[in-house]
Amino acid sequence: MLFPMTSSILRTAFERVASHISNLDDVKSLVDELENMDSLDTIITELETRMEEAEVTFRTDIRILINECRHIRK
Amino acid sequence: MSEFSPLSNEIADFLRKTGIVQFTPIQERAIPLLHDSSENALLLAPTGSGKTEAALLPLLNRLQRLKETKELFGFYILYITPLRALNRDVFKRIEELCEHLGLTVAVRHGDTTQYARRKQAIHPPNLLITTPESLQAILPGKRLKHHLKTVFAIIVDEIHDLADSKRGTQLSLGLERLEHVIGKRVQRIGLSATVGNPKEVAALLSGKGEVKTLWAGYDKRQMELSVAMPEPTDNHKQLARKLSYPPHSVARLETIVNLIKTHTSVIVFTNTRSFSEVLGAKMRALKPPYDFDVHHGSLSRTARLSAEDRLKTGVSRAIIATSSLELGIDIGQADLVIQYSSPREVSRMLQRSGRSGHGFGRSSKGVVIATVNLDDITESGVILRRARQNKVENAKIPRKSWDVLGHQIAGFLMDTDQIEKAELLRIINQAYPFGQVSMSELEILIGFLEGRRVLETAGADVKRAGKTRVFYYDRLSTIPDVQQVNAVDMTTRTSIGVLDEDFVSANVERGSVFVFRGRPWNVVNIDDDTGEVLCAPASGTDSEAPRWVGEMIPVPFEVATEVAKLWNTILEKDSKTLGKWLIREYGIEVQAHEYLRETLQTSMDILKKLPTEDLFVLEDFDSGLVLHAPLGTKTNEALGIVIASLLTTRFGVEVAVERDPYRILFTAGKRMDPQWVIDVLQEYSGPQVSVILRLAMKNTQNFSSRFIQVARRMDVIRKDAKTKEVPVKHLIKSFEDSPVFQEAMREVLDDKMDEKRVMDLFDRYSKGALEIHTVTTKGPSPLARLIVEEKTRFEVMGEITDEDEVLRMMEERLLSKKFRLVCMAEGHWNSVRTLSTLDDVVACPICDSRMIAATSPTKKDILKILTKRKRGETLTKSEEKEHKAASLTAELVSRYGKTALMVLAGRGIGATTAARILKPRLKDRLEILREIAKGELQYERTRQYW
């Protein structure tokens, strides 16, 4: 299997976890916004930063997304 | 290498710090296995031997290693127990260790607050302790489903308890659903102390996967068990009057009180909730020098928790409990368990006695306090012996339960929206209870569910429909839904517990008194809308304990046949060695030996043979037939129904049937020829019997109530529909052959009967492998009397013997009553006599007339009134009334003799009521006493209007 590109890792992760996400629109725009970043590590760091200020359910959404990204990368 | 190898240093340090120095046998075997492999396992070890840690320590060790490589987010281990109380206990046991390892743990069940649930959705605990029903609720949850993806192991604690019911069946499919949802295999570990059929239970746990079964520690288990039969002394008889409690029961009560006094922490187990209440009330009346509580499933959660805590902290010395305390709830160090009356099952005996000396290396100590009853004593002895040999009953796993499958199909649709039928069947077949479901059976069930709009079909697929969600969430629990009402203390306005609707409608009305939480309560009012029973504390000792339905514990076939074997052996044994043998082999203490030998010898003299598994005794006594067949509750239940219905159809007599684990009683309006029973056994084959049983069952109350429960679970009737509002007969007819009907029939036959054994029995008789010895007796033999006089014994367990003892005590009271007896014929005999001194026929010693009037000894004028009437003088109104009453009593005495006087001796029972109670058919002593008791109760209830 080919290794997915950074941007598509984020997108694939999002598609996989979408059914478990509470704030779908917010997460979707976040994905749109971060999709073009250079590396997955940068994306994850950015997601973690956003998590700190986020409302509690949104924070869990981001957490789920980060987890899935890490899972795909592994 | 550390003594706790292969566990990590952190875990080993923690264990040392908490005073643990070495593994228990089950831990020694299980930890290395579970540490390295993800094999499924069934861990079997005695109560208190550290099974929870044996399973959890290696898994936590794995989780700790995982944590070193990545950040944990999600559930990793699920721990499932059958009870909420057990959840709390496991949590307390493991919380500190998890904290020490930096892992998170939480409990989730029906009592979990919304706040805590939300918290779990946001920060999923690494270890989640839950119940099978809560797992069902979690599975389709949007967020929780995601958190489940990380689960690598599931532990099912006390798996034998779930295996025996639909809860286990549901869980087995639930586990398949879980694997389907997360798309990978999960390691499954089952824990139990008492399993008779580990292979089947292992299959229930793992479906088609392999399971490694590990046994350990049974050989090192120490048990000190005995069976006592206290007998009353003069002291007890005096106390009996004071407490309004039969002398035999007082003797038992005092033995219990003395045992509690000489121990530090005691659990007294009873077989029914109602009897635990009676015992609590009577013990309180004795004002013992210690605190104690009552504990059972119908008490509010706070009451139960406080009772558990009070015992654990040493505030109370004893707790009177039912099966609510049987499973591994940690209630500290009980040093004695008392079982009141036979525990009826080996597993129950082991679970209960295991509550004392809980913990590895300690000896468990248990005493069965048996009633003065042959069945009770020998049954207790046999169970004790089998417990020592660890011969536990098999868990009966329900197969092809259509209601559970229907619900789980809705569950699949909640998980995936749409699924192909073939794929659905493949997953369903993975679960052991549904391994044999065929496509055509599945199609029928799907068709039924589609008709209820629970799902839709589209070609080869099944799809979610409008009602799927509501149907699924409304029916998460398979525990029978008996409607309950709240009982509220008026003074504090707090709930004292819940009562079954059945009990309330049959027994509770304004003004009646019942015992709850060991105290009598007066019913002040019953709210029509909510059904709430408002109560106020009452005083006095004469009160009724609430009855809960479904409490009969069946005696297994293996126990019943061994009991019959013991009866025969007692008579064969040399009397010199018998005593020692009974103590050594069966733990039966010396007080009972003489009683056992005498009762059995008298029975042998009358019957000539005692029954065994292959030899039944058919006793024809004056008013009925008793088939002595020691085959256990379920077989006798089915055998009784089959024979009675065949007798009714073949010989045109309405036959009534009563059964206990050792015999079946047939009674009818006319004499029955014992040959009829033999003919019936001779002429029918096993398969015919199965058809007859089903036909006969269809018309029973038992089937109707099961049908309603299943119909509720399968959406045929509303969940909250009141039983009396449901047109049951009509429904049964219109749903005949549907999955609802089939499931109700399967439930009744599986739970209450042993169809297979009865089929075998008919075949065996035809082949000559079973012998029947017929004997005619003048009256019921001592063995027959156990069922003739104590018909109710097996209807309300625990109280049974006590009900009879209450009646016996009432009889004593009635017999001590004095009457003024006057000869109505000549008026020449006028004497005050005590009832007990009279013969059965009461006649005038002078003229032999049987027209004897009975009045109160204080009514000295009665003779004057009689003389006045004889002379033709006019009587005053009150004299006229007295004369009329005296004449009526004389008429009753002439017809019924002493029995008439017994009835008249009842409190508040006058001549008119007595005439209503006395019927020519009424012959049985206990039946008469029961009728008198009813008359007295009626008087007490209505006296305010007199």
Side-chain angles (χ1 to χ4, degrees):
Chain A
M1 198 178 86
L2 284 174
F3 201 78
M5 287 173 60
T6 306
S7 64
S8 66
I9 288 183
L10 182 62
R11 176 106 359 232
T12 315
F14 171 66
E15 280 161 9
R16 281 193 192 174
V17 299
S19 64
H20 307 288
I21 298 290
S22 297
N23 307 285
L24 200 59
D25 289 342
D26 294 344
V27 178
K28 192 167 177 287
S29 43
L30 194 62
V31 170
D32 292 342
E33 184 192 331
L34 304 183
E35 180 164 47
N36 297 323
M37 287 185 124
D38 306 342
S39 73
L40 192 61
D41 284 334
T42 334
I43 293 178
I44 289 175
T45 315
E46 182 56 28
L47 282 170
E48 279 171 346
T49 321
R50 302 284 181 99
M51 237 172 79
E52 279 164 28
E53 304 131 28
E55 172 273 335
V56 70
T57 54
F58 189 36
R59 205 186 305 165
T60 311
D61 288 338
I62 301 175
R63 184 74 191 267
I64 289 175
L65 188 66
I66 296 175
N67 243 41
E68 198 58 32
C69 289
R70 282 184 178 146
H71 180 72
I72 294 173
R73 183 167 64 175
K74 207 171 78 180
Chain B
M1 214 166 70
S2 110
E3 68 276 35
F4 296 120
S5 163
L7 298 178
S8 69
N9 288 338
E10 284 91 340
I11 297 181
D13 283 347
F14 180 84
L15 294 178
R16 275 184 218 111
K17 220 168 61 190
T18 44
I20 296 167
V21 288
Q22 64 178 60
F23 285 148
T24 65
I26 189 67
Q27 291 167 353
E28 247 169 41
R29 300 200 58 197
I31 291 174
L33 176 86
L34 301 176
H35 182 261
D36 295 320
S37 90
S38 55
E39 254 184 285
N40 296 331
L42 180 62
L43 312 187
L44 305 170
T47 318
S49 55
K51 289 186 289 293
T52 301
E53 288 77 8
L56 268 176
L57 292 180
L59 298 183
L60 289 175
N61 198 73
R62 257 151 77 183
L63 194 54
Q64 194 196 0
R65 282 202 314 248
L66 192 68
K67 192 172 168 250
E68 283 160 13
T69 60
K70 65 185 251 188
E71 199 185 345
L72 300 183
F73 183 69
F75 304 133
Y76 289 86
I77 304 167
L78 296 183
Y79 194 104
I80 296 174
T81 87
L83 284 179
R84 293 170 194 185
L86 217 52
N87 282 350
R88 287 190 286 270
D89 253 30
V90 173
F91 177 75
K92 279 187 209 158
R93 272 166 80 171
I94 214 72
E95 187 189 11
E96 253 184 85
L97 173 62
C98 285
E99 201 179 316
H100 181 77
L101 301 176
L103 301 171
T104 52
V105 52
V107 170
R108 187 184 183 105
H109 50 222
D111 291 342
T112 308
T113 59
Q114 277 307 322
Y115 171 73
R117 284 166 199 238
R118 193 155 171 263
K119 218 169 116 187
Q120 286 169 9
I122 294 165
H123 302 290
N126 308 137
L127 166 59
L128 181 72
I129 306 168
T130 187
T131 57
E133 289 72 23
S134 287
L135 175 67
Q136 290 289 328
I138 294 172
L139 274 171
K142 188 177 175 181
R143 212 39 153 244
L144 295 171
K145 197 156 57 179
H146 180 266
H147 297 333
L148 284 172
K149 289 193 170 179
T150 40
V151 171
F152 68 82
I154 290 197
I155 300 168
V156 184
D157 200 352
E158 308 274 8
I159 189 168
H160 61 276
D161 189 68
L162 296 169
D164 231 5
S165 68
K166 290 187 179 181
R167 297 182 76 193
T169 318
Q170 187 195 42
L171 178 63
S172 73
L173 265 179
L175 296 181
E176 297 304 330
R177 272 175 61 202
L178 173 75
E179 287 191 354
H180 184 243
V181 165
I182 64 181
K184 63 171 188 185
R185 202 187 77 81
V186 174
Q187 182 176 22
R188 305 179 191 184
I189 302 162
L191 313 179
S192 177
T194 45
V195 165
N197 47 341
K199 269 194 186 157
E200 239 194 317
V201 172
L204 177 81
L205 174 73
S206 73
K208 298 218 161 135
E210 292 286 311
V211 186
K212 182 115 185 160
T213 302
L214 300 180
W215 297 79
Y218 288 100
D219 48 338
K220 295 203 172 111
R221 176 172 55 177
Q222 290 162 7
M223 290 188 289
E224 238 183 276
L225 305 174
S226 61
V227 180
M229 186 196 83
E231 282 196 293
T233 59
D234 288 345
N235 240 352
H236 293 130
K237 284 177 190 155
Q238 269 182 7
L239 200 57
R241 256 168 248 135
K242 210 171 117 192
L243 290 178
S244 305
Y245 202 40
H248 277 94
S249 307
V250 172
R252 290 193 282 273
L253 179 64
E254 207 190 30
T255 307
I256 294 173
V257 170
N258 288 338
L259 282 169
I260 295 174
K261 279 190 207 159
T262 51
H263 289 81
T264 42
S265 178
V266 179
I267 312 175
V268 184
F269 279 110
T270 66
N271 288 341
T272 63
R273 298 172 193 184
S274 38
F275 190 69
S276 66
E277 292 291 3
V278 173
L279 198 62
K282 297 297 175 188
M283 193 180 282
R284 215 171 285 285
L286 269 185
K287 299 199 173 62
Y290 53 79
D291 264 13
F292 72 95
D293 292 286
V294 174
H295 185 289
H296 59 70
S298 283
L299 292 176
S300 63
R301 188 180 153 230
T302 12
R304 274 182 282 144
L305 285 181
S306 124
E308 287 164 25
D309 268 351
R310 276 161 51 87
L311 189 75
K312 207 183 304 190
T313 50
V315 177
S316 73
R317 248 311 250 270
I319 197 160
I320 302 175
T322 60
S323 42
S324 54
L325 263 191
E326 225 167 70
L327 298 177
I329 300 169
D330 181 17
I331 28 91
Q333 312 285 320
D335 55 353
L336 175 71
V337 163
I338 297 173
Q339 163 69 36
Y340 196 102
S341 193
S342 156
R344 296 171 75 86
E345 281 177 345
V346 179
S347 55
R348 201 163 286 264
M349 177 85 169
L350 283 171
Q351 286 283 349
R352 292 185 169 186
S353 64
R355 307 304 297 139
S356 72
H358 196 89
F360 182 68
R362 270 189 293 268
S363 160
S364 58
K365 190 171 168 192
V367 181
V368 180
I369 305 280
T371 52
V372 187
N373 176 301
L374 177 76
D375 292 350
D376 206 25
I377 303 162
T378 44
E379 191 178 284
S380 305
V382 165
I383 288 174
L384 184 148
R385 186 166 190 253
R386 294 179 73 87
R388 282 180 185 154
Q389 298 166 337
N390 206 33
K391 285 187 179 165
V392 184
E393 291 81 18
N394 289 355
K396 192 153 174 40
I397 301 170
R399 313 285 290 267
K400 293 190 185 179
S401 297
W402 299 133
D403 53 348
V404 172
L405 185 55
H407 181 255
Q408 290 303 293
I409 292 176
F412 275 109
L413 297 177
M414 291 294 297
D415 302 339
T416 56
D417 287 343
Q418 185 162 351
I419 188 165
E420 208 183 319
K421 281 181 204 166
E423 170 68 355
L424 182 63
L425 182 66
R426 190 193 63 77
I427 303 170
I428 289 169
N429 284 156
Q430 297 282 329
Y432 174 74
F434 300 98
Q436 306 297 322
V437 173
S438 66
M439 183 46 105
S440 59
E441 284 171 322
L442 182 64
E443 297 261 15
I444 293 173
L445 184 62
I446 288 174
F448 175 82
L449 293 170
E450 193 171 21
R452 316 300 309 164
R453 284 181 292 140
V454 171
L455 51 80
E456 283 170 15
T457 51
D461 282 8
V462 190
K463 276 172 34 185
R464 197 161 150 174
K467 258 167 87 176
T468 314
R469 190 184 172 80
V470 176
F471 175 79
Y472 180 77
Y473 278 105
D474 264 3
R475 291 164 179 82
L476 291 176
S477 169
T478 57
I479 301 167
D481 202 9
V482 179
Q483 308 265 337
Q484 294 186 316
V485 293
N486 216 355
V488 178
D489 178 0
M490 272 198 77
T491 40
T492 58
R493 277 279 162 189
T494 51
S495 165
I496 50 173
V498 285
L499 298 169
D500 280 358
E501 201 190 21
D502 290 5
F503 171 75
V504 174
S505 57
N507 304 292
V508 176
E509 55 192 30
R510 214 179 286 180
S512 59
V513 174
F514 66 93
V515 180
F516 208 55
R517 283 173 70 181
R519 286 193 177 80
W521 298 88
N522 210 327
V523 177
V524 181
N525 203 1
I526 302 168
D527 194 306
D528 282 341
D529 295 332
T530 59
E532 230 173 42
V533 181
L534 294 173
C535 315
S539 54
T541 43
D542 260 353
S543 35
E544 190 167 1
R547 264 173 214 156
W548 285 267
V549 285
E551 295 193 316
M552 194 186 79
I553 305 157
V555 175
F557 171 81
E558 292 78 8
V559 170
T561 48
E562 195 176 328
V563 165
K565 212 164 149 191
L566 172 61
W567 294 345
N568 282 287
T569 320
I570 287 176
L571 290 184
E572 286 158 15
K573 278 257 166 199
D574 180 357
S575 57
K576 283 182 200 147
T577 52
L578 177 68
K580 277 190 184 156
W581 181 74
L582 281 174
I583 296 173
R584 192 184 61 238
E585 296 293 318
Y586 295 92
I588 299 176
E589 286 180 6
V590 74
Q591 313 101 304
H593 296 180
E594 195 46 35
Y595 168 80
L596 286 183
R597 223 189 49 76
E598 263 184 40
T599 315
L600 288 166
Q601 190 57 58
T602 323
S603 307
M604 181 61 125
D605 293 346
I606 297 172
L607 301 172
K608 307 298 177 217
K609 285 179 181 181
L610 293 186
T612 67
E613 187 184 340
D614 305 311
L615 168 82
F616 296 172
V617 176
L618 182 57
E619 180 180 345
D620 176 14
F621 67 102
D622 192 27
S623 27
L625 298 174
V626 172
L627 179 65
H628 297 275
L631 304 174
T633 310
K634 288 183 173 183
T635 313
N636 279 0
E637 174 85 29
L639 183 59
I641 288 178
V642 170
I643 296 181
S645 59
L646 284 175
L647 289 180
T648 307
T649 38
R650 286 190 48 160
F651 302 102
V653 275
E654 274 291 319
V655 180
V657 56
E658 308 274 342
R659 69 281 133 195
D660 69 28
Y662 307 98
R663 52 195 79 80
I664 307 167
L665 166 70
F666 301 99
T667 44
K670 62 177 187 183
R671 195 183 164 275
M672 283 176 292
D673 189 337
Q675 188 59 38
W676 295 352
V677 175
I678 293 177
D679 286 351
V680 160
L681 283 167
Q682 184 80 58
E683 289 164 21
Y684 291 86
S685 68
Q688 284 172 318
V689 164
S690 166
V691 176
I692 293 160
L693 187 60
R694 279 153 208 272
L695 285 175
M697 279 317 298
K698 218 167 75 177
N699 301 318
T700 59
Q701 179 57 39
N702 213 329
F703 177 73
S704 303
S705 52
R706 285 299 172 120
F707 183 86
I708 293 179
Q709 282 173 14
V710 177
R712 273 197 187 122
R713 285 200 288 268
M714 294 186 86
D715 196 37
V716 170
I717 50 179
R718 268 197 350 263
K719 263 200 88 190
D720 54 351
K722 293 240 182 333
T723 311
K724 52 187 172 192
E725 291 165 6
V726 178
V728 196
K729 280 200 176 141
H730 171 74
L731 275 180
I732 291 178
K733 213 170 164 198
S734 27
F735 280 89
E736 201 158 348
D737 293 331
S738 72
V740 188
F741 184 94
Q742 284 171 11
E743 177 54 23
M745 188 57 86
R746 190 207 59 75
E747 253 196 41
V748 176
L749 292 180
D750 268 15
D751 291 3
K752 300 272 175 194
M753 299 187 204
D754 195 330
E755 186 185 8
K756 197 176 165 297
R757 260 189 231 284
V758 175
M759 288 167 67
D760 286 352
L761 188 147
F762 273 78
D763 288 339
R764 267 171 64 212
Y765 188 71
S766 319
K767 285 183 201 145
L770 171 70
E771 197 187 324
I772 296 185
H773 162 70
T774 311
V775 58
T776 308
T777 56
K778 283 183 189 143
S781 67
L783 285 189
R785 274 215 298 276
L786 290 169
I787 192 166
V788 175
E789 291 191 359
E790 302 183 16
K791 284 180 197 163
T792 54
R793 184 188 144 130
F794 296 95
E795 277 164 23
V796 188
M797 263 305 302
E799 278 155 298
I800 5 173
T801 340
D802 282 81
E803 189 213 354
D804 292 343
E805 283 186 11
V806 169
L807 293 178
R808 264 179 220 134
M809 203 175 73
M810 187 177 95
E811 187 180 21
E812 223 174 87
R813 187 190 82 214
L814 297 174
L815 286 171
S816 66
K817 173 111 179 185
K818 285 191 168 93
F819 278 108
R820 178 177 293 279
L821 301 177
V822 177
C823 174
M824 288 286 277
E826 297 291 335
H828 49 219
W829 186 54
N830 174 7
S831 172
V832 173
R833 294 288 176 97
T834 307
L835 194 46
S836 59
T837 64
L838 296 171
D839 290 334
D840 283 346
V841 174
V842 184
C844 170
I846 304 164
C847 66
D848 215 24
S849 161
R850 291 191 183 182
M851 285 299 282
I852 306 292
T855 64
S856 149
T858 52
K859 289 195 173 157
K860 291 179 182 162
D861 295 342
I862 187 74
L863 202 57
K864 275 187 202 161
I865 298 173
L866 285 182
T867 328
K868 225 172 145 184
R869 165 52 64 91
K870 267 205 167 147
R871 283 196 212 120
E873 291 172 23
T874 327
L875 301 182
T876 65
K877 245 189 182 169
S878 71
E879 284 174 339
E880 186 65 50
K881 205 175 153 193
E882 270 186 45
H883 183 265
K884 210 173 154 190
S887 309
L888 187 54
T889 59
E891 224 170 90
L892 294 173
V893 172
S894 76
R895 280 179 75 182
Y896 302 102
K898 191 177 172 181
T899 309
L901 293 176
M902 282 269 281
V903 177
L904 285 164
R907 259 198 299 258
I909 299 182
T912 329
T913 314
R916 206 173 49 232
I917 292 175
L918 287 157
K919 284 174 228 134
R921 282 269 190 81
L922 207 63
K923 275 187 186 158
D924 178 54
R925 198 181 105 257
L926 287 180
E927 209 177 318
I928 294 168
L929 290 172
R930 236 173 255 137
E931 287 299 319
I932 299 175
K934 260 195 229 164
E936 289 191 340
L937 186 70
Q938 183 66 21
Y939 167 71
E940 290 300 337
R941 284 196 177 145
T942 54
R943 65 189 295 184
Q944 51 181 319
Y945 308 110
W946 287 74

